[in-house]
Amino acid sequence: MSRSSLMPQAFVSTDRIRSLFTEAMSQMYRAEVPQYGTLIELVADVNAGCLENDPDLRERLTQAGELERIDVERHGAIRLGTAEELFTIRRLFAVMGMQPVGYYDLSVAGVPVHSTSFRPIDEAALNVNPFRVFTSLLRLELIEDEGLRAEAEAILAARRIYTPRAVALIERHEQNGGLTEAEAREFVAEALETFRWHGEATVSAETYKRLHDAHRLIADVVSFKGPHINHLTPRTLDIDAVQARMPERGITPKAVIEGPPRRHCDILLRQTSFKALEETIIFSGDKDAVQGTHTARFGEIEQRGVALTAKGRALYDQLLASVRGEVQVGAGGAKAGAYDDELATRFKALPDSWDELRKADLAFFRYSATPAGIAAAVGSTLPSDPAALIAKGYLAFAPIVYEDFLPVSAAGIFQSNLGTDQQQNYATHSNRDAFEAALGATVQDELALYAERQATSLEAAMEALGLAGLQLKTVA
């Protein structure tokens, strides 16, 4: 036996496993949803144009280490049916270095789920591959018909959405602290089966109709072998350009872009999508293999801006609610222009310059010592006030990109693709405790993560300027 065969095999990084999985998922989804390939080409064209025409944007992305991630950046979405499924998906994503961040209650917007986002949280890992999966758990208690609720519970309890080998490899990762390259590739192949589309329903046509009548999303979660990936979203640098050019590629976009209006300084998250596919399905238990169609999966595009502080987010929520409460966008999009105009008008109350956002403590920023500052620090004492350092050009700041989601926007995308005529109000309250109990973990606080990144960057910058250890109260 050779010496090399006795040596323990090295584990690959979770970043490597996440990148392998993202590529495999993208290839699978491209085969399942041909328009996804068209969308990726359109986004790539728009992004290339943005970078060519905006050198400042290219420089900012380069300095932040974000330029290389733009082309590989994706977010997916799945909907689970049981606590056990959610518990295991947390363990599956942990193999890829992804943790649950944020709690989202979509029931307040008429969608009977609550959710979290699985993603990397370390800045270096995000810049390697910021793959995210918006993961929702069906709230069966919101099904009013007790008989239908019990039937749905029984259907979900009988299914197994993870392959035995995927579970075994999850356990190996947990026990050994990692996977080898060969194990990682096998894990990706096995895990992918959970997200694959299956055209055979696990219920009869009659059961499907009753679930569908209760809510289209309930039928989507309960009626199939697993949580097929609903969409795989690329990141664009100009969502308005993508929205305008989608019809040129044979894609019909939704009426309005969800989230904030177009701004010079992008904030949070803007999203649009194209109409969900009508996919042929075969129902179970019918003598003559009855065929039908199912509409759930769709294409989505997003543009990401700066993460807002609690103060900034409160102002954002207030401004958005004021518009949505007064201007309704119909299914035909007849009032889309009016909505966009009103949105832009109301959002003038939120500063549209990086410096104003920073001074007002409305957004999070990454700080760095400039070459001029480092040179000036040699043999002299610099002012300890960050504001003075910024004024002298010794301390630079750049926006920290928002890595998470917006519940109102997510619900808007869901409703647009489930049918804009289906609005349902659930007399309920968010149930984070139940969600975290099912998850088997506490979700990370996204605002705390951004605040930590801002504070860490400022401390490192001040240390580089020879000002380490100072008690910094403000950077305004």
Side-chain angles (χ1 to χ4, degrees), residues 79 109-111 215-216 243 252-258 271-277 295-300 324 329-333 408-423:
R79 303 157 186 166
V111 183
H215 197 289
R216 293 187 184 188
Q243 177 93 339
T252 303
K254 69 186 297 293
V256 299
I257 295 171
E258 297 287 344
Q271 297 171 285
T272 190
S273 64
F274 63 73
K275 186 71 175 178
L277 298 175
T295 306
R297 303 197 304 158
F298 53 91
E300 184 178 276
R324 294 179 72 90
V329 181
V408 172
S409 294
I413 294 286
F414 277 21
Q415 291 290 12
S416 174
N417 289 286
L418 292 171
T420 52
D421 57 338
Q422 183 172 13
Q423 298 290 337

Side-chain angles (χ1 to χ4, degrees), residues 24-97:
M25 176 79 84
S26 189
Q27 290 180 6
M28 181 187 77
Y29 197 69
R30 185 187 289 260
E32 293 180 350
V33 183
Q35 278 191 317
Y36 169 72
T38 304
L39 194 65
I40 293 298
E41 293 169 2
L42 172 58
V43 169
D45 289 346
V46 169
N47 287 352
C50 288
L51 294 172
E52 181 179 350
N53 298 324
D54 191 342
D56 290 341
L57 174 62
R58 175 182 282 276
E59 177 63 20
R60 176 157 58 83
L61 292 173
T62 301
Q63 290 297 323
E66 293 178 30
L67 186 62
E68 298 303 319
R69 78 182 231 183
I70 297 295
D71 288 340
V72 300
E73 188 160 351
R74 300 286 185 275
H75 102 242
I78 57 171
R79 303 157 186 166
L80 304 175
T82 69
E84 181 182 4
E85 291 174 358
L86 182 66
F87 183 83
T88 303
I89 206 74
R90 174 182 57 80
R91 298 167 61 210
L92 183 148
F93 285 133
V95 177
M96 298 183 244

Side-chain angles (χ1 to χ4, degrees), residues 196-237:
R196 190 179 299 281
W197 167 254
H198 298 282
E200 304 83 23
T202 58
V203 300
S204 67
E206 185 272 334
T207 300
Y208 178 87
K209 183 179 185 305
R210 287 188 289 113
L211 293 167
H212 185 278
D213 289 346
H215 197 289
R216 293 187 184 188
L217 187 141
I218 295 173
D220 180 56
V221 176
V222 177
S223 303
F224 297 91
K225 296 178 181 179
H228 38 260
I229 192 78
N230 295 122
H231 56 268
L232 202 56
T233 304
R235 176 181 170 186
T236 183
L237 299 173

Side-chain angles (χ1 to χ4, degrees), residues 168-298:
L169 287 166
I170 291 170
E171 292 172 349
R172 181 170 298 181
H173 183 272
E174 293 171 342
Q175 293 164 3
N176 296 346
L179 296 178
T180 66
E181 176 74 18
E183 290 170 339
R185 290 184 175 277
E186 186 182 9
F187 166 79
V188 167
E190 293 291 332
L192 203 64
E193 292 305 308
T194 296
F195 301 85
R196 190 179 299 281
W197 167 254
H198 298 282
E200 304 83 23
T202 58
V203 300
S204 67
E206 185 272 334
T207 300
Y208 178 87
K209 183 179 185 305
R210 287 188 289 113
L211 293 167
H212 185 278
D213 289 346
H215 197 289
R216 293 187 184 188
L217 187 141
I218 295 173
D220 180 56
V221 176
V222 177
S223 303
F224 297 91
K225 296 178 181 179
H228 38 260
I229 192 78
N230 295 122
H231 56 268
L232 202 56
T233 304
R235 176 181 170 186
T236 183
L237 299 173
D238 188 346
I239 199 167
D240 297 278
V242 172
Q243 177 93 339
R245 291 169 59 178
M246 282 167 70
E248 298 173 7
R249 307 287 180 109
I251 301 173
T252 303
K254 69 186 297 293
V256 299
I257 295 171
E258 297 287 344
R262 183 181 182 91
R263 294 163 45 92
H264 174 69
C265 298
D266 297 322
I267 60 171
L268 296 174
L269 177 67
R270 303 180 71 206
Q271 297 171 285
T272 190
S273 64
F274 63 73
K275 186 71 175 178
L277 298 175
E278 271 203 353
E279 296 176 287
T280 300
I281 57 174
I282 298 175
F283 293 107
S284 171
D286 295 300
K287 293 181 180 179
D288 300 316
V290 175
Q291 282 194 352
T293 58
H294 178 66
T295 306
R297 303 197 304 158
F298 53 91

Side-chain angles (χ1 to χ4, degrees), residues 16-17 19 68 70 114 128 159 181 214 229 275 286 294 317 321 326 336-337 353 363 380 403 414 433 436 451 467:
R16 167 70 174 163
I17 302 173
S19 293
E68 298 303 319
I70 297 295
H114 45 183
V128 170
R159 76 177 185 179
E181 176 74 18
I229 192 78
K275 186 71 175 178
D286 295 300
H294 178 66
D317 289 342
E326 295 183 18
S353 85
S380 64
E403 306 286 356
F414 277 21
D433 289 344
E436 291 183 331
L467 299 170

